[in-house]
């Protein structure tokens, strides 16, 4: 059980680095979609006895993160007619290095954390922290509006992993509410992205700089 | 109600739904506050005393704003208001959910929903600047709120770590609070302070605020500054309560005091020489959020003032944003280079703007004076003389900075170069701000006994250790 879980989490970590090191936005969206779908499988593994609510959460997460959100984003991408993230603030190779450092830090740091006994062997907590950090790196170092949305998704995935520790505390309704908020959020963001594209003929957020002191 | 709004095809009659909903909401709020015994509650949805205060504030503010909106949308008939009306109606729904929710996860969902329904409201003017403001608001707000979710998880993990059953129901968490694992509780509180602090607009997470408030229509600014920020403060209050019961007041007090002073100082710096009067109001909001967390940081004796300040600040912000919206519309500009002599051109809105400024900077005899004075008194009673001194000094800086801009706007003679729409104060756009101002004045002179009892209940509730 723990082995399968850890295998998934290692794949998630590798995907984080891949997202950091790729400039083609379509590939990045697909990777994050796969990552989200993989994470949706985790609730099934964490729980020894399957209840309806666990299965529902899992299915909803897979459908939403693996299918719905990526298709919205790909549509926004097609409308915007861009392919690559050019000239990020931090180059692709340095950002992979930074991501690797963040992952290593997360692994070391999680070792120091006072965790409850049954969570010490699994990679849940370090993967969660690493994903949150990688999400922040993407958010701050990329300039295309869609890339920043991807950063937000990776961050959210990291939080989702941490939430796996507490699936008993989160009732089904709240779990669904979190997913619904995520969905509506991405939906609204993509509409705004379209408007940015129409108004500025570009998705470069550096153009959004007329409001300052 | 939001769905009804989407279904009504007429642009002209749709906004009338707003006052109808608002009246229904306010009467239900009053009913809920006077006859709490008749309400069905469960462990997820319950109206506790701090929630009551915020609900009362938001309901009043929304009622006034709904009338204003009808007038506002009449001016802007050329633009479809379908999304605008629907979002406003959902706004009051999710905000009420925040005040009612007694489950930390549910509360998070509701607060995130407030971000999402207000984003299209900021975008109402559909130009490049408002896109930029909306984008920053959405991205910064969502990331901040995501951190708050992580913080909420940390709090839940704090109970799991100690071998207790993990739970996020507020009452259960309060009950087991003293037993929670300290490192996780502290880490969680810091994340929550950053997360909900972003939503409140505390410095240094305030960067979205001047942009969003500057570009949003005045009525949206009023609802954001009076409603959304108060909800985020309520969320923070709940976690402060948990830490307080857990016996960690010293730890939280340090953080809250620091952020409070820092917000006030930063707002003061940016307010001096501010040329855009709507952005100036945003910094004033940063300052007042600073005052709220400062009051929370002082704790005990200052809590009464803090809870009162939630109400007085919310209402005064309503006056300021509504009248600033009117001035903006009349002059077609919000820069002090072009706007002069608002008192002559718009006697009512200009006067209200000036009175709102006097009120928000804490001049007697208005409401904020009483609440700020109570917080100051609390600071002295808690032997925090340095904090009290800084508090007074920063209030003075803000008064001078804000005063320069406001006086520039209202005084003098309006230049002849104005080629803008001939806007004059109408009943629907001026009366709500006037009523709001009268409420602020009333709170300064006399606090009605039911309200006083409500606030005292809240203070008792926050200080009690079950």
């Amino acid at each position: 059980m723990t082995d399968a879980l850890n295998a998934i989490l290692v794949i998630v970590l590798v995907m984080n680095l891949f997202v950091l090191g790729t400039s083609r936005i379509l590939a990045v969206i697909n990777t994050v979609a796969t990552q989200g779908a993989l994470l949706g499988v985790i609730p099934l593994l964490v729980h020894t006895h399957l209840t309806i609510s666990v299965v529902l959460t899992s299915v909803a997460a897979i459908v939403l993160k693996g299918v719905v959100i990526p298709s919205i984003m790909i549509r926004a991408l097609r409308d915007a007619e861009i392919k690559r993230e050019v000239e990020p603030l931090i180059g692709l190779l340095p950002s992979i290095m930074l991501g690797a450092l963040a992952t290593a830090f997360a692994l070391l740091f999680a070792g120091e954390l006072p965790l409850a006994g049954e969570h010490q062997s699994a990679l849940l907590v370090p993967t969660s922290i690493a994903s949150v950090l990688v999400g922040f790196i993407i958010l701050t170092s990329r300039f295309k509006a869609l890339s920043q949305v991807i950063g937000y998704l990776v961050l959210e995935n990291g939080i989702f992993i941490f939430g796996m520790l507490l699936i008993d505390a989160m009732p089904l309704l709240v779990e669904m509410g979190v997913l619904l908020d995520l969905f509506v959020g991405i939906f609204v963001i993509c509409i705004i992205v379209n408007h940015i594209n129409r108004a500025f003929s570009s998705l470069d957020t550096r153009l959004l700089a007329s409001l300052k002191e | 109600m939001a769905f009804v709004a989407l279904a009504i095809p007429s642009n002209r009659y749709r906004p009338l739904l707003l006052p109808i909903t608002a009246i229904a909401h306010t009467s239900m709020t009053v009913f809920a506050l006077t006859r709490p015994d008749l309400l069905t509650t469960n462990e997820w949805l319950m109206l506790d005393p701090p929630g009551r205060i915020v609900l009362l504030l938001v309901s009043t503010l929304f009622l006034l704003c709904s009338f204003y909106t009808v007038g506002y949308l009449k001016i802007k008939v050329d633009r479809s208001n379908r999304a605008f009306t629907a979002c406003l109606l959902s706004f009051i729904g999710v905000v009420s959910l925040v005040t009612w929710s007694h489950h930390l996860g549910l509360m998070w969902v509701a607060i995130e929903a407030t971000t999402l329904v207000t984003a299209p409201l900021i975008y109402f003017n559909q130009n490049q600047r408002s896109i930029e403001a909306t984008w920053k608001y959405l991205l910064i707000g969502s990331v901040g709120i995501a951190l708050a979710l992580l913080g909420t998880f940390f709090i839940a993990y704090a109970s799991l770590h100690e071998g207790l059953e993990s739970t996020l129901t507020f009452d259960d968490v309060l009950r087991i609070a003293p037993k929670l694992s300290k490192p996780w509780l502290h880490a969680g509180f810091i994340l929550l302070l950053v997360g909900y602090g972003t939503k409140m607009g505390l410095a240094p997470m305030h960067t979205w605020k001047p942009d969003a408030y500057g570009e949003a229509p005045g009525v949206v600014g009023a609802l954001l500054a009076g409603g959304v920020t108060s909800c985020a403060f309520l969320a923070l209050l709940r976690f402060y309560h948990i830490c307080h019961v857990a016996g960690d007041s010293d730890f939280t007090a340090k953080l809250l005091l620091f952020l409070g002073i820092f917000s006030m100082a930063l707002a003061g710096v940016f307010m001096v020489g501010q040329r855009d009067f709507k952005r100036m109001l945003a910094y004033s909001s940063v300052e007042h959020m600073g005052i709220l967390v400062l009051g929370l940081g002082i704790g005990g004796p200052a809590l009464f003032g803090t809870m009162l300040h939630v109400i007085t600040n919310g209402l005064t912000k309503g006056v300021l944003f509504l009248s600033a919206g009117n001035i903006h519309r009349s002059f077609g500009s919000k820069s002090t280079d072009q706007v002069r002599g608002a008192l002559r051109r718009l006697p009512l809105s200009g006067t209200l703007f000036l009175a709102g400024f006097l009120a928000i900077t804490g001049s007697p005899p208005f409401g904020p004076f009483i609440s700020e004075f109570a917080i100051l008194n609390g600071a002295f009673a808690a032997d925090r003389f340095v904090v009290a001194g800084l508090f007074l000094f920063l209030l003075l800086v803000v008064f001078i900075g804000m005063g320069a801009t406001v006086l520039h706007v209202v005084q003098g003679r309006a230049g002849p170069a104005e080629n803008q729409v001939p806007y004059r104060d109408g009943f629907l756009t001026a009366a709500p701000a006037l009523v709001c101002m009268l409420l602020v004045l009333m709170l300064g002179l006399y606090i009605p006994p039911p309200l006083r009892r409500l606030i005292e209940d809240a203070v008792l509730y926050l200080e009690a250790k079950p």
Side-chain angles (χ1 to χ4, degrees):
Chain A
M1 193 65 93
T2 321
D3 291 338
L5 183 61
N6 281 349
I8 289 182
L9 291 172
V10 169
I11 298 175
V12 168
L13 285 175
V14 174
M15 280 177 169
N16 280 344
L17 297 184
F18 180 77
V19 169
L20 278 175
T22 311
S23 66
R24 276 175 306 133
I25 295 184
L26 185 64
V28 172
I29 293 178
N30 285 331
T31 315
V32 175
T34 325
Q35 192 184 39
L38 265 180
L39 291 180
V41 179
I42 296 183
L44 300 177
L45 291 176
V46 173
H47 279 260
T48 38
H49 51 278
L50 292 176
T51 55
I52 294 178
S53 77
V54 171
V55 177
L56 264 179
T57 316
S58 176
V59 170
I62 292 174
V63 171
L64 201 62
K65 289 187 173 171
V67 185
V68 181
I69 290 180
S71 54
I72 298 177
M73 290 184 69
I74 289 174
R75 261 192 70 182
L77 185 71
R78 219 177 30 229
D79 292 344
E81 291 175 342
I82 45 164
K83 296 218 158 44
R84 285 172 188 281
E85 168 75 46
V86 276
E87 43 175 327
L89 180 68
I90 306 173
L92 293 176
L93 197 62
S95 51
I96 296 187
M97 304 286 277
L98 210 58
L101 266 179
T103 312
F105 166 76
L107 284 167
L108 286 175
F109 180 64
E112 300 288 312
L113 284 177
L115 293 175
E118 69 266 30
H119 299 135
Q120 252 151 13
S121 57
L123 284 171
L124 275 173
V125 177
T127 316
S128 157
I129 298 173
S131 299
V132 170
L133 290 175
V134 168
F136 266 117
I137 294 175
I138 299 175
L139 270 170
T140 47
S141 72
R142 303 291 155 94
F143 292 120
K144 288 269 185 266
L146 269 176
S147 301
Q148 293 181 346
V149 178
I150 291 167
Y152 173 64
L153 272 179
V154 173
L155 177 75
E156 187 77 44
N157 277 347
I159 296 173
F160 183 81
I161 301 174
F162 196 89
M164 286 302 113
L165 294 174
L166 317 150
I167 201 157
D168 295 327
M170 294 289 269
L172 179 66
L173 184 73
V174 173
E175 201 79 63
M176 290 296 154
V178 172
L179 283 174
L180 183 72
D181 272 353
L182 182 67
F183 166 65
V184 178
I186 297 291
F187 190 69
V188 176
I189 286 179
C190 282
I191 292 174
I192 300 288
V193 165
N194 264 336
H195 281 275
I196 293 180
N197 187 41
R198 228 177 291 156
F200 294 89
S201 339
S202 157
L203 281 188
D204 197 330
T205 50
R206 275 171 298 183
L207 293 176
L208 301 177
S210 58
L211 300 176
K212 57 184 173 203
E213 295 311 322
Chain B
M1 276 319 245
F3 292 111
V4 180
L6 285 176
I8 294 182
S10 158
N11 221 15
R12 187 146 35 115
Y13 296 116
R14 198 184 296 126
L16 290 179
L17 265 183
L18 285 170
I20 298 173
T21 317
I23 290 171
H25 188 267
T26 311
S27 41
M28 264 157 68
T29 304
V30 170
F31 175 72
L33 292 183
T34 44
R35 300 294 299 275
D37 46 313
L38 289 182
L39 295 172
T40 51
T41 56
N42 56 30
E43 54 180 2
W44 283 27
L45 290 176
M46 202 169 82
L47 203 55
D48 59 1
R52 272 177 213 158
I53 293 177
V54 175
L55 183 64
L56 183 65
L57 163 71
V58 175
S59 191
T60 318
L61 202 60
F62 187 78
L63 180 67
L64 295 170
C65 285
S66 69
F67 285 103
Y68 182 91
T69 314
V70 175
Y72 174 72
L73 291 176
K74 257 193 201 134
I75 300 168
K76 302 233 168 190
V77 273
D78 50 326
R79 187 162 293 159
S80 168
N81 55 33
R82 181 179 296 234
F84 191 78
T85 318
C87 282
L88 270 179
L89 291 171
S90 346
F91 170 78
I92 189 67
V94 290
V95 164
S96 317
L97 183 61
V98 174
T99 56
W100 274 85
S101 60
H102 237 230
H103 183 283
L104 301 175
L106 191 65
M107 186 174 72
W108 182 87
V109 170
I111 290 188
E112 168 73 11
T114 61
T115 313
L116 298 177
V117 300
T118 45
L121 296 178
I122 298 175
Y123 185 51
F124 183 62
N125 282 325
Q126 302 210 343
N127 51 33
Q128 294 202 348
R129 294 162 63 85
S130 67
I131 290 183
E132 181 182 339
T134 315
W135 175 253
K136 285 182 182 166
Y137 174 69
L138 259 181
L139 207 65
I140 297 176
S142 303
V143 171
I145 288 289
L147 287 181
L149 180 63
L150 193 60
T152 312
F153 283 166
F154 273 23
I155 301 269
Y157 194 76
S159 63
L160 197 65
H161 179 252
E162 296 299 302
L164 303 159
E165 194 187 340
S166 65
T167 170
L168 279 174
T169 320
F170 186 61
D171 288 337
D172 289 346
V173 177
L174 267 191
R175 198 161 31 77
I176 58 172
K179 288 183 260 167
L180 290 178
S181 153
K182 287 280 184 287
W184 286 103
L185 184 63
H186 288 182
F189 185 77
I190 292 174
L191 282 173
L192 286 159
L193 188 61
V194 172
Y196 289 131
T198 311
K199 200 89 207 348
M200 275 173 80
L202 289 172
M205 292 85 74
H206 69 286
T207 45
W208 58 271
K209 217 168 187 175
D211 300 345
Y213 288 10
E215 297 310 315
V219 60
V220 177
L223 286 175
L224 282 174
V228 174
T229 50
S230 305
C231 283
F233 179 69
L234 179 68
L236 204 55
L237 200 64
R238 299 236 200 270
F239 290 102
Y240 163 82
H241 193 181
I242 292 174
C243 286
H244 178 69
V245 173
D248 269 340
S249 301
D250 292 344
F251 169 76
T252 57
K254 260 184 246 153
L255 288 172
L256 291 168
L257 284 177
F258 172 74
L259 269 186
I261 294 280
F262 188 66
S263 298
M264 288 181 72
L266 191 128
V269 168
F270 279 97
M271 232 187 263
V272 175
Q274 179 60 252
R275 312 186 72 80
D276 178 329
F277 61 82
K278 268 180 148 178
R279 290 176 78 87
M280 175 201 73
L281 292 186
Y283 283 114
S284 162
S285 175
V286 173
E287 178 219 346
H288 284 270
M289 291 304 122
I291 294 181
L292 285 181
V293 290
L294 185 79
L296 206 56
I298 296 168
L303 279 180
F304 183 85
T306 311
M307 294 315 292
L308 183 62
H309 197 68
V310 172
I311 298 179
T312 52
N313 170 52
L315 289 176
T316 319
K317 281 285 154 32
V319 179
L320 280 168
F321 274 100
L322 295 183
S323 55
N326 290 343
I327 295 174
H328 182 190
R329 206 162 309 118
S330 167
F331 286 83
S333 161
K334 54 197 175 68
S335 156
T336 51
D337 295 339
Q338 278 133 39
V339 181
R340 312 221 49 174
L343 269 181
R344 280 165 196 268
R345 190 175 249 235
L346 295 172
L348 194 55
S349 289
T351 316
L352 285 173
F353 191 61
L354 185 62
F357 149 70
L358 289 175
I360 202 76
T361 46
S363 323
F366 297 107
F369 169 72
I370 305 290
S371 51
E372 282 171 17
F373 190 71
I375 293 176
L376 188 66
N377 248 343
F380 281 119
D383 290 334
R384 293 197 184 268
F385 297 109
V386 181
V387 171
L390 276 173
F391 180 70
L392 270 183
F393 172 70
L394 290 172
L395 279 182
L396 188 69
V397 170
V398 166
F399 182 81
I400 296 170
M402 201 169 167
T405 311
V406 170
L407 291 179
H408 193 96
V409 167
V410 295
Q411 284 182 338
R413 184 179 288 277
E418 262 74 54
N419 47 355
Q420 280 78 28
V421 281
Y423 168 79
R424 286 278 172 272
D425 280 335
F427 173 73
L428 281 173
T429 49
L434 183 64
V435 175
C436 218
M437 192 70 234
L438 290 178
L439 282 177
V440 174
L441 183 60
M442 182 197 78
L443 284 178
L445 298 174
Y446 166 72
I447 303 174
L451 184 65
R452 178 176 288 277
R453 210 164 41 245
L454 210 57
I455 297 175
E456 276 164 358
D457 278 353
V459 172
L460 280 180
Y461 178 77
L462 284 174
E463 288 200 316
K465 294 198 179 190

